[in-house]
Amino acid sequence: MVGTMMDLESSPLERGNPRARSMEEYRALYRQSLAEPERFWSEQARTLSWFHPPYSILDVDLEEVDFSWYMGGRLNASFNCVDRHAAVKPGKPALVWAKNEPGEYKVYTFRELKHHVGRVANVLKAHGVRKGDRVCLYMPMIPETVFAMLACARIGAVHSVVFAGFSAEALRERILDAGSEVLVTANEAPRGPKKVALKAIADAAIEGLSQVRSVLVARRTDAEVPMRPGRDHWLDEEMGKHRSTCPITWVASEDPLFVLYTSGSTGKPKGVMHTTAGYLVYAAMTHAHVFDAQPDDVHFCTADIGWITGHSYVVYGPLANGVTTVLLESTPNYPDAGRLWEIVDDLKAATVYTAPTALRALIAAGDEVLSRSIRASLRVLGSAGEPISPEVWQWFNDKVGSGRAAVVDTWWQTETGGVMITPLPGVTPCKPGSATLPFYGVDLALLDDEGRVIDGGDVNGNLCVTRPWPGQTRTLYGNHRRFRETYFNRFPSFYFTGDGCRRDEDGYYWITGRVDDVLNVSGHRLGTAEVESALSRHDVVAESAVVGFPHPIKGTGIFAYVVLRPDVHVESKEQLIGALKEQVRHMIGPIATPDRIHMVPGLPKTRSGKIMRRILRGIAAGEREGFGDTSTLAEPTIVEAIIDRVASQE
Ligand code: WT7
C-alpha cells in the first residue's frame, strides 16, 4: 500500500501527492483530499519509510473521541529524519547551528547527526530509559537538544521538551505530570547578551524529587555547576562511553512520539500528545507544500524548540524531508536587528519562518540594517503564532523579500501538529492579514455560539475542524477525559480550536483571536488562569483577574487586576507591584510577567459570582464607557471604582 523501507533512493520530496502549481490544481487536490481521504493520506504516507506498511489509514472511535492513523504500520521517526538520508547522502548538511555569537556556525552532516543521535540514544538506554518512558528536555537551542529529541524517538521513548524560559516551578509541574525520570539540560544557555543558568533552575525544579534518577547536562559554556553525585552526569562524558551505533526500535504508528505542554483555560498546563506516524506524515507534508521545499534548500525557522513550531519546522518536518535545517541560538535582535538577514545571506537560506512579534520588534529597530544583506536566496517568508497585521505583512513582503519571495501566513496550534490554514507559495493569491485557505484534508467550519454551522461568506464564528487529520493531537497525557472535554464538548463532534474567525466572500479565513481565556503574548500561549493562580500565591492577594490588552510589540500584553486582602497595609505600591511580578516570574517564567498590575477595590462580578471579563478587557484597552449591559452585576458601581483606580495609577 505504501512505500517500504527499501525505497531509500528517491527523495521523500518526490513522493506523496503532487504539489499544486495553480489554484485549479490546489482546488482539485483539496477536493480529492476530502472526497477520498483514505486514498489521499495513503498516497502521502509514501513519503515516509516504513519497516512495515500500515493496513488501514484511519480508524475513528467517535464515542471515545479516539483517532488512529496508519494502524499496523511500524516505523521510526529518527530513522526517517536521519538514517535514511545518511544512507544515500551522508555528507549533506542536516543541521546548521547558528550560535549566539554572529558569524559562528557549526554544521552537522546527516552521517554526523546519525552518530550523535546514536550515542545519545545509547546514553539514555544506559540510564534506564525504555520504550514509552518520558524524558524531559529543558534545553537551550543547541545541537544536543536535537540529538536528544531524535535519540528518544530512536529508542521509542517520549520526549517532553519544556521551553527553557519556564521557571523551576513550571518545570517541576511538567516533570511531575509526565512522570519523567530522566532530565536532560545544559549547564548554561547564552541567549543574546545574557546567560541563563539552566542547571541551577533544573536543580531547583527537582529539589527533593526522587522521581528524577538521572540528570544529563550538556556542556554549552565553561561554567562549572554543582553536580550531584549519582544523579548528575555530563552528557559529553557519557557520550564518550558509548558507540555511535544504536539499533532502531521500530514502533507502532500510534505509539507516542512526544508530549508538549501548552496552556488552556484552566491553571494546569495540558500535556498535548502526538503520535509517530500521523504526526510525521503531516509535519513533513506541510513543510514540503507550505514552503515549496526543494532538496537543496536551507530551511530557517527561528522558533525555539520549546514550542510546537520548533518541533515541527525546525526538527521533524525538514529533517523527515531530508532538508537542511537551521538551529538559531540567539534572539532575532542580537546583536542587532540585522541578525536574521545576516544568517539568511551566510547560509543562503531559501525560507525564513518566524513570528509577527519578532517582525514588529525588527520593524521598530528601523530599516537601515536591511541594507547590510541582500537576502536574494529567499523564496518563502513564513509567519505563524498570531495574527500578522497588513502593515507587518507588507513590510515582510516588500522589505525583507524585496517583493520576490512569497509570504505565507500560517495558522495552526500545538494541538494541530502542523499548519492548517495557509497560502501555497506562488499559488494562492494573498490578502495581507488573512491566513487564506485550508490545507489539504482540513475541513473547517464556523459555528455560532449555539453550535449551528454558519455557511457562506462574510460570516463570523467559532473556528472548528469537522474531521480528523493525521497531525491531530490524540490525547492529553494521562487525561483523555480532559482531552474530550477541552476540545470536543463545546461543539459535539467538532474539534474546537478556541479561536474566533471570519470567512470572507472568497472563502478566505481571517483569525480574530482566542475566544477562550487564553492570551497570545509574543506568539506564546498563556492561560489567564495560570497567571491568576501565580498571583494568588502571594500572601497579600485576595483575588485577581488577568486579561489581555493591545501591545505594540507583544501583540497582547498582560493586564492584571488585583484585589488585596482587607488587612493588608501597603507601604510602597511600586514595591508591591515588583513583588507580584517576581511572583509570576517565579511560578511561570519571564514570559508571563504582567505588563501592568492595578490594585482595585473589587472585580465586576455577576450575581452568580462570574467575573465579567468583557468589562475588564475594555478598561485595559483604554475604554472608559460603553460597556453595554452592566445591570447583571452584583455591584454595578464597581466599574466606576475600577476605572478611577486604573486612571489614577497611569
Ligand atoms: C494559537 C495557537 C502557529 C503554531 C505555534 C503557536 C494563534 C497561530 C496564527 C495565525 C492568527 C494565529 C491562534 C492559535 N495563531 N497562528 N497565523 N494567525 N493567529 O501554537 O502556542 O498552540 O498557539 O496561536 O490563536 O489558537 P500555540
Side-chain angles (χ1 to χ4, degrees):
M1 178 185 318
V2 296
T4 68
M5 215 176 90
M6 299 307 147
D7 193 5
L8 294 182
E9 285 301 324
S10 68
S11 157
L13 291 172
E14 293 160 13
R15 305 200 293 262
N17 292 288
R19 288 197 211 157
R21 294 289 160 218
S22 65
M23 275 310 270
E24 290 67 47
E25 286 181 16
Y26 159 74
R27 289 198 192 281
L29 194 53
Y30 179 72
R31 262 196 307 274
Q32 194 228 317
S33 73
L34 298 190
E36 297 174 279
E38 305 243 324
R39 187 169 135 202
F40 183 88
W41 290 115
S42 162
E43 186 59 31
Q44 200 54 37
R46 289 176 184 280
T47 59
L48 298 188
S49 299
W50 299 78
F51 180 71
H52 189 285
Y55 58 73
S56 95
I57 301 303
L58 172 62
D59 177 51
V60 180
D61 177 352
L62 274 181
E63 206 77 359
E64 298 296 323
V65 195
D66 209 330
F67 314 110
S68 301
W69 287 86
Y70 303 117
M71 292 298 275
R74 292 191 87 76
L75 76 168
N76 183 286
S78 184
F79 179 85
N80 275 277
C81 290
V82 187
D83 300 54
R84 62 171 176 163
H85 311 301
V88 290
K89 291 194 170 164
K92 178 176 179 177
L95 186 67
V96 183
W97 181 34
K99 295 195 199 181
N100 193 50
E101 295 312 318
E104 291 185 18
Y105 299 98
K106 187 157 184 197
V107 179
Y108 294 85
T109 64
F110 276 102
R111 186 206 336 239
E112 289 166 335
L113 182 60
K114 186 175 99 174
H115 292 159
H116 288 295
V117 169
R119 253 195 293 268
V120 177
N122 283 326
V123 172
L124 292 174
K125 277 189 175 162
H127 283 268
V129 177
R130 300 285 174 263
K131 179 171 184 282
D133 291 351
R134 280 78 52 218
V135 175
C136 183
L137 272 49
Y138 185 63
M139 296 287 276
M141 291 290 281
I142 59 176
E144 286 83 351
T145 311
V146 179
F147 305 159
M149 290 168 79
L150 294 167
C152 287
R154 194 170 192 87
I155 60 174
V158 181
H159 57 72
S160 165
V161 182
V162 176
F163 175 57
F166 279 118
S167 70
E169 283 289 333
L171 174 60
R172 183 186 186 90
E173 189 179 9
R174 286 156 178 77
I175 289 173
L176 282 170
D177 188 80
S180 305
E181 296 178 1
V182 172
L183 171 65
V184 188
T185 187
N187 56 345
E188 250 191 342
R191 190 133 170 89
K194 293 186 233 157
K195 283 204 174 89
V196 185
L198 275 194
K199 173 65 162 61
I201 303 173
D203 282 340
I206 58 173
E207 179 65 44
L209 211 66
S210 57
Q211 175 190 307
V212 177
R213 294 193 303 271
S214 301
V215 179
L216 301 166
V217 185
R219 205 188 298 268
R220 172 58 185 96
T221 68
D222 294 334
E224 282 303 325
V225 290
M227 299 288 279
R228 177 178 299 187
R231 187 195 71 181
D232 302 350
H233 309 268
W234 289 104
L235 182 60
D236 54 0
E237 287 171 14
E238 293 298 290
M239 284 172 77
K241 296 179 188 164
H242 293 276
R243 294 185 63 193
S244 46
T245 300
C246 173
I248 294 278
T249 301
W250 301 108
V251 304
S253 293
E254 283 295 341
D255 277 338
L257 180 60
F258 64 85
V259 173
L260 184 58
Y261 286 86
T262 189
S263 298
S265 45
T266 70
K268 200 171 142 42
K270 303 180 285 196
V272 164
M273 199 180 88
H274 284 287
T275 58
T276 306
Y279 170 80
L280 202 58
V281 164
Y282 200 72
M285 181 184 191
T286 48
H287 168 259
H289 288 248
V290 172
F291 297 98
D292 193 24
Q294 305 298 324
D296 291 324
D297 279 356
V298 172
H299 175 70
F300 180 21
C301 169
T302 69
D304 194 285
I305 281 187
W307 310 109
I308 189 71
T309 314
H311 282 59
S312 299
Y313 301 111
V314 176
V315 181
Y316 288 110
L319 290 180
N321 288 329
V323 167
T324 306
T325 189
V326 179
L327 187 68
L328 172 67
E329 185 176 37
S330 91
T331 60
N333 42 23
Y334 178 74
D336 65 32
R339 186 66 195 276
L340 298 186
W341 323 131
E342 179 187 309
I343 294 171
V344 165
D345 278 7
D346 285 352
L347 305 179
K348 305 272 178 294
T351 58
V352 63
Y353 191 27
T354 193
T357 185
L359 296 175
R360 289 191 297 266
L362 299 185
I363 292 172
D367 290 352
E368 300 84 69
V369 292
L370 284 169
S371 61
R372 292 207 315 257
S373 55
I374 54 169
R375 307 173 304 283
S377 55
L378 288 174
R379 290 199 324 270
V380 183
L381 307 172
S383 168
E386 37 165 347
I388 182 167
S389 71
E391 299 74 38
V392 175
W393 193 102
Q394 214 66 55
W395 182 85
F396 208 14
N397 184 74
D398 301 353
K399 297 290 168 57
V400 175
S402 307
R404 289 186 305 253
V407 172
V408 291
D409 171 9
T410 61
W411 176 90
W412 57 295
Q413 309 178 297
T414 306
E415 293 87 343
T416 70
V419 169
M420 299 287 278
I421 307 180
T422 181
L424 298 176
V427 173
T428 314
C430 285
K431 303 188 188 187
S434 166
T436 74
L437 300 167
F439 190 70
Y440 303 118
V442 174
D443 196 7
L444 302 172
L446 298 181
L447 272 66
D448 67 16
D449 287 344
E450 279 67 53
R452 288 178 297 243
V453 173
I454 314 169
D455 288 319
D458 202 12
V459 291
N460 245 301
N462 297 293
L463 181 64
C464 294
V465 189
T466 68
R467 58 164 92 191
W469 66 99
Q472 177 171 30
T473 298
R474 300 296 194 270
T475 192
L476 296 179
Y477 185 78
N479 202 342
H480 195 67
R481 175 179 302 146
R482 189 173 173 205
F483 172 73
R484 287 196 330 235
E485 288 171 357
T486 308
Y487 304 106
F488 298 91
N489 264 17
R490 178 75 178 83
F491 303 110
S493 93
F494 292 90
Y495 166 80
F496 177 39
T497 64
D499 279 339
C501 186
R502 186 173 85 85
R503 184 172 52 222
D504 71 14
E505 318 64 42
D506 299 322
Y508 278 46
Y509 289 85
W510 302 73
I511 305 298
T512 53
R514 303 286 308 193
V515 294
D516 52 9
D517 294 324
V518 171
L519 304 180
N520 193 326
V521 181
S522 302
H524 303 322
R525 229 163 107 173
L526 274 176
T528 53
E530 277 173 275
V531 184
E532 286 162 6
S533 90
L535 285 168
S536 66
R537 293 280 284 268
H538 196 288
D539 298 338
V540 302
V541 177
E543 58 176 343
S544 67
V546 167
V547 297
F549 72 101
H551 186 285
I553 302 292
K554 297 182 175 182
T556 304
I558 303 176
F559 197 113
Y561 297 87
V562 172
V563 183
L564 300 181
R565 287 184 192 283
D567 49 330
V568 174
H569 173 70
V570 182
E571 293 271 318
S572 150
K573 207 173 273 168
E574 284 67 47
Q575 234 166 40
L576 180 57
I577 289 175
L580 290 173
K581 286 185 177 176
E582 181 47 40
Q583 177 74 20
V584 176
R585 268 196 289 271
H586 175 74
M587 296 297 298
I588 308 174
I591 49 170
T593 313
D595 297 275
R596 296 179 61 178
I597 297 181
H598 287 280
M599 264 60 90
V600 292
L603 299 172
K605 289 186 182 168
T606 61
R607 269 173 231 117
S608 58
K610 197 170 161 351
I611 298 173
M612 286 184 82
R613 290 175 184 275
R614 174 174 60 82
I615 295 174
L616 295 176
R617 277 193 289 266
I619 297 174
E623 291 163 25
R624 294 295 176 256
E625 53 195 12
F627 296 121
D629 185 13
T630 52
S631 62
T632 55
L633 284 177
E635 219 188 310
T637 55
I638 195 73
V639 177
E640 277 308 311
I642 294 172
I643 291 176
D644 285 349
R645 277 303 177 84
V646 171
S648 74
Q649 288 169 31
E650 267 167 354

